[in-house]
Amino acid sequence: MENAVQQINNLSIGFTSKKGEQISILKNITTNIKKGETVGIVGESGSGKSTLALAMMGYVKQGLYTISGECLFHSNDLLRMKDKDLEDIRGRKIAMIPQNAGQSLTPNLKIGYQIDEALKLHTDLKIQDRNKKISELLNKVRLPSPEIMAQRYPHELSGGQQQRVAVAMALAGNPELLLLDEPTTGLDVTTQAHVLELLNFIAKDTGTSMVYVSHDLGAIAQVSDRVIVMYSGQIVLDGPVRRILKNPIHPYTSGLLKSIPKLTLPGLPKSMSGSQPQPGTITKGCSFYDRCELAEMNCSNNSPELEYVKNLNTSVRCFKHKELHEKIDKDENLVTSIENTILDKEMLGLSKVSISYAKKKFIDQLLNKESDDNPTVKDINLNISKGETLALVGESGSGKSTILKSIAGLLKAKEGNIKYENNKILPNELKLRDPNSLRAIQLIFQNPDESLNPNHTVEQIVSQPLKLYFGLQGEKLKDEIIKVLKKVRLGEFYLTRYPRQLSGGEKQRVAVARAFAAKPDVILCDEVTSALDVSVQAAVLNLLQELKKDFGTTYIFVSHDLAVVRAISDRVAVLYQGRLCEIGPSKNVYNFPSHPYTEVLLGAVLEPDPDIKPKLVAEDIVEEKPPEKGCSFQGRCPRKVGEICNSEVPPWQIGENGNAIRCHINIDELRNLQK
Amino acid sequence: MELQVEKPKSNLFKIYEIISTMASRPSGLIGLTILLFHVVLAVTSPLYAPHDFKAIDPSLMLLPPSSEYWFGTDSLGRDVFTRTILGGRTALTVTFFGSIIALLWGGALGIFCGLVGGRIDDVVMRIIDAFLSIPWILAMLLIVSLLGTSTIVLIPALGFFYGKGIVRVARAATHDVIAKDFIVSARARGHGNLSIIWNEILPNVRDAIMVEGAMRWSWMLLGFSSLSFLGFGVSPPTPDWGLMISNARGLMSFAYWAVLAPIVGLSSLIIGINLTADAFAKALGIDRSTKAPV
Ligand code: SF4
Ligand code: SF4
């Protein structure tokens, strides 16, 4: 192809298993990247997308090798090039920005120096020109006051700023192709929106081709011109962004899109069953066969080829793509709205809770003085009714997980108290809590890889709470374990498995089973879906909702993902820097004029739709500490009214629709402002 | 979807698996063979030792190797072959039990320190460091001269001195797991410290501790033989390699056989244990180079 920067032909990469079989991670990839084009590569974990991105740099991970095919960069095969020649291309012509840019910067060297190094390596500029270029680059990635920035060390910058520096370094050699591997994963929502906007700007400004690898369809939608969908090492769909995201003609992609919770479509999304097959397990037929709703006999025996559909300008790997194209999804029930029976009985109440991480200074201890009058979390009042799902949202540093830990007794509240059921005050130390209240409150963690003991079988894991709280043993214990596993849709044969033998979704189910085994009244969910793949996330959310229906359990659901929260919660509390900003019924918080911070958060949500752009209202600076006095959001508030925000804590105002916000601006005036 | 059902493995099968993985590498196979040879020798040698190990006969002094006395005789006319095949018995037994003691107290204290952390951990580690900055051989000599050289004294004394490294490894391994959410989860459920140690921590640190223990074993063997060499280990006439080397070293220039045989015995056993421990570590998937340096 004429104007292709990179052309990949029939590329397969794999490894040889212990048994001597050749197993491919990438299977016959053929595609190209055109000049000035941004291509999004999307896939879930295990789809081979990162392996493909690395191959585009001429890099194959240890243990893997090229089975067949080529990866041409201006008609030079990167995979068969001498190391020396590759070095000339990497950094200069092809640059990569890794997921965690902060870790790829050298901690003890100043930013300016590190960019200078990159310039020395990749350009022939003289020293004066280089200094000018450093400022220019920092300017281009929109870091404020480049001269000062250049003198800083990486740790003095926020995550978003570090990511910008990484972009600046990558641009140092004026690359023709920029590879980005999950560049915004792990950043806060507002920061993420800013970085994506910057990348769009750079693509336009410099004409660099970009390859954007991510699992996040929302991010992909914002930056890509073209999207490649990967499944189990193959390209299953490849075409213009609107075609792929608005009317996908591959069942996997449409299923994936349906399983993402959206702000515009409140309710629990449909989940996809099963999980992506392990490399090497599919030998014949379509690799999506197990999970496909449209599958028929033909699919299990013959594997579909990647077929170019001319009138749609799209390549697709499915026998039934025509049918899919003709079928219109509109009348289908895409989401199930949640209906919780909320009883008029308080399950949990927090009053005036403050939590501080600061240790008391020795002198203060002697004088018996409170040392920290600016605690991490301050003045939290929350009441949760039986059967309700309350969500706590906010970015990192908002204190949402801290509050959860203190409810669980893992962190001591400095002030205030936590009440459980009819006004029984829970001791704030774990040791002092009675077994029954310990049982009543269970936790589910973010990452099941961390929260399940890798040396325990599923049986041992689920037996822990049963033995501890109910003293079960022998046959009775085993029966109960099987019963609990059944509730989370895991069969009996899982008993003897270790966590490493399970998929991500299965692991999280085990964690859910362990929590429910205690027959709890309240379950604290700490970012329970954020470590999971999108298609699995919906399944776990649906499971939690079903269990809630069966047992009437109360949930406190912590998440940074506003769309997930919208899908599952009855009420939302928005936190910034450990202070409550807004609280109210979900549908009101999301639909009516709201606190300026909520407005910022909602504006930054990335929808998997290229036509809905995020609104960038506030600066993406990160604050280390909550302000001493005044409104917690004063540092970033786009609607700040003046001195009063800095000096006085804003009062609570109750809107007519039931949500309470904490701001100096009158609630009716906010409505006018936000119209 | 087809399920890959894996049968639960019995403990015995797991041990078999580990050993066969160890033996699949040449170094592991050599190590295991040497170790096995020494153990078998130590257990069975009294059955076929050709001569009486304590029979002194001045007329047979320092005979070179012959068909009657395969490794020659020593300065008191005792058969070196007999004394060599018997000479590892005490060393092997004392150090084996010594290692187990080291493993127990080192592991327990290490896990404890890793779990409680903070000031208690600091203080305990300082005390151990201070205690063990005394050259161990001096301390051992002191203990032995006060309490005698019986195995009842030697085993715990050696076990104590060689447990320090295990404390460090156990503590480091505990630190690694302690921050994981499964420990937090157990705590939040209300499990006590003992249950957390036994159920959650131990299965995750056990491998590292055992590997360290195996490593310590070979060090302890060297230490024990040094004690014997200095005359504080095994008391004559019980045959022991350290003691034999010590007795025969003055005559090395004209009766090399009397010193060579015990040297080969001792060093082959140490090498055997070392290779085995290394293979053991690899079979368990522990990279010793990244563990706490000792
Ligand atoms: S080929 Fe068949 S199984 Fe594969 S995606 Fe298409 S319809 Fe589904
Ligand atoms: S009180 Fe002031 S700073 Fe705080 S949110 Fe309202 S306008 Fe913004």
Side-chain angles (χ1 to χ4, degrees), chain A residues 408-600:
Chain A
L410 292 164
L411 256 180
K412 228 166 117 176
K414 200 178 68 131
E415 271 165 34
N417 57 46
I418 301 170
K419 279 181 288 194
Y420 161 67
E421 246 174 345
N422 31 40
N423 288 338
K424 203 166 74 185
I425 290 185
L426 280 178
N428 57 10
E429 258 184 282
L430 207 56
K431 276 183 270 184
L432 306 175
R433 294 195 178 176
D434 61 289
N436 190 45
S437 54
L438 285 172
R439 178 197 57 75
I441 301 175
Q442 292 291 314
L443 259 164
I444 305 175
F445 294 82
Q446 171 171 6
N447 191 345
D449 287 323
E450 293 256 322
S451 71
L452 305 179
N453 192 331
N455 280 300
H456 283 176
T457 57
V458 170
E459 179 172 4
Q460 279 168 308
I461 290 168
V462 182
S463 74
Q464 301 272 0
L466 294 172
K467 284 198 272 194
L468 182 72
Y469 301 129
F470 309 111
L472 293 185
Q473 271 172 350
E475 278 302 303
K476 264 207 188 121
L477 176 63
K478 191 149 185 171
D479 289 347
E480 188 62 30
I481 296 173
I482 293 171
K483 234 162 79 193
V484 175
L485 282 181
K486 215 166 254 155
K487 278 184 214 148
V488 299
R489 318 257 175 302
L490 293 177
E492 206 178 320
F493 52 85
Y494 280 95
L495 285 178
T496 55
R497 303 260 181 114
Y498 286 94
R500 61 173 177 277
Q501 297 166 326
L502 307 176
S503 73
E506 288 169 335
K507 273 182 250 182
Q508 198 61 305
R509 276 166 200 272
V510 174
V512 171
R514 176 174 64 188
F516 270 94
K519 303 203 165 60
D521 298 323
V522 182
I523 290 194
L524 312 173
C525 306
D526 191 359
E527 299 272 7
V528 288
T529 59
S530 43
L532 303 176
D533 277 323
V534 198
S535 68
V536 176
Q537 164 177 300
V540 170
L541 288 176
N542 276 305
L543 174 71
L544 285 172
Q545 191 56 34
E546 275 166 42
L547 289 169
K548 184 191 191 86
K549 220 182 229 161
D550 292 351
F551 300 100
T553 322
T554 308
Y555 287 158
I556 301 184
F557 197 93
V558 160
S559 179
H560 70 280
D561 188 329
L562 278 105
V564 168
V565 163
R566 176 78 172 111
I568 195 149
S569 65
D570 298 306
R571 258 193 324 150
V572 185
V574 184
L575 289 144
Y576 187 77
Q577 292 284 346
R579 278 85 177 139
L580 278 171
C581 295
E582 172 163 4
I583 181 164
S586 303
K587 60 174 187 292
N588 297 341
V589 171
Y590 281 85
N591 285 343
F592 287 92
S594 41
H595 189 277
Y597 179 56
T598 317
E599 188 191 355
V600 167

Side-chain angles (χ1 to χ4, degrees), chain B:
Chain B
M1 196 173 109
E2 206 175 305
L3 292 159
Q4 337 156 333
V5 183
E6 226 172 294
K7 283 215 178 97
K9 294 170 180 172
S10 72
N11 284 337
L12 219 66
F13 183 73
K14 274 186 215 153
I15 293 173
Y16 165 76
E17 246 188 354
I18 290 173
I19 291 180
S20 59
T21 325
M22 284 164 72
S24 67
R25 264 176 247 266
S27 61
L29 187 63
I30 295 172
L32 274 173
T33 316
I34 298 177
L35 184 59
L36 192 68
F37 170 76
H38 272 287
V39 171
V40 170
L41 193 71
V43 174
T44 58
S45 54
L47 303 174
Y48 46 76
H51 295 271
D52 182 0
F53 66 86
K54 54 182 188 293
I56 299 174
D57 188 343
S59 65
L60 298 174
M61 241 169 66
L62 294 174
L63 291 177
S66 62
S67 58
E68 176 67 24
Y69 302 104
W70 293 358
F71 291 178
T73 59
D74 68 2
S75 56
L76 297 175
R78 296 173 297 194
D79 177 31
V80 175
F81 178 72
T82 307
R83 292 181 62 79
T84 303
I85 61 174
L86 291 171
R89 287 165 57 90
T90 322
L92 213 50
T93 328
V94 167
T95 55
F96 179 74
F97 287 107
S99 302
I100 287 180
I101 287 183
L103 213 60
L104 290 180
W105 86 265
L109 189 62
I111 292 175
F112 171 76
C113 285
L115 180 66
V116 296
R119 202 162 291 167
I120 298 179
D121 174 37
D122 275 349
V123 171
V124 172
M125 290 313 286
R126 282 305 111 73
I127 291 177
I128 291 187
D129 281 343
F131 218 122
L132 295 161
S133 60
I134 315 167
W136 71 271
I137 199 119
L138 283 185
M140 280 300 291
L141 293 183
L142 187 70
I143 293 173
V144 169
S145 45
L146 286 177
L147 302 171
T149 63
S150 68
T151 41
I152 298 302
V153 176
L154 281 173
I155 292 176
L158 282 169
F160 174 69
F161 278 101
Y162 283 87
K164 174 179 109 165
I166 297 175
V167 175
R168 290 200 175 285
V169 170
R171 180 171 165 269
T174 308
H175 264 297
D176 283 350
V177 292
I178 205 84
K180 294 268 169 77
D181 279 342
F182 62 84
I183 307 270
V184 181
S185 162
R187 241 192 249 282
R189 276 199 302 274
H191 285 283
N193 273 346
L194 268 182
S195 147
I196 290 182
I197 291 177
W198 188 254
N199 289 318
E200 310 288 341
I201 300 179
L202 203 59
N204 290 294
V205 301
R206 188 184 53 206
D207 292 355
I209 294 178
M210 281 191 344
V211 166
E212 194 55 33
M215 248 26 213
R216 293 288 127 194
W217 187 12
S218 71
W219 284 101
M220 196 186 285
L221 197 70
L222 200 61
F224 175 75
S225 301
S226 311
L227 275 184
S228 297
F229 181 85
L230 295 172
F232 294 96
V234 178
S235 27
T238 314
D240 178 82
W241 293 330
L243 202 60
M244 288 164 70
I245 296 171
S246 159
N247 287 340
R249 76 185 198 286
L251 311 163
M252 199 148 70
S253 47
F254 54 92
Y256 62 89
W257 54 85
V259 70
L260 195 61
I263 284 178
V264 171
L266 181 59
S267 34
S268 67
L269 179 55
I270 290 176
I271 291 170
I273 294 180
N274 253 318
L275 290 177
T276 310
D278 252 350
F280 185 46
K282 285 197 186 114
L284 292 174
I286 292 175
D287 187 358
R288 273 185 51 83
S289 58
T290 63
K291 284 286 162 226
V294 193

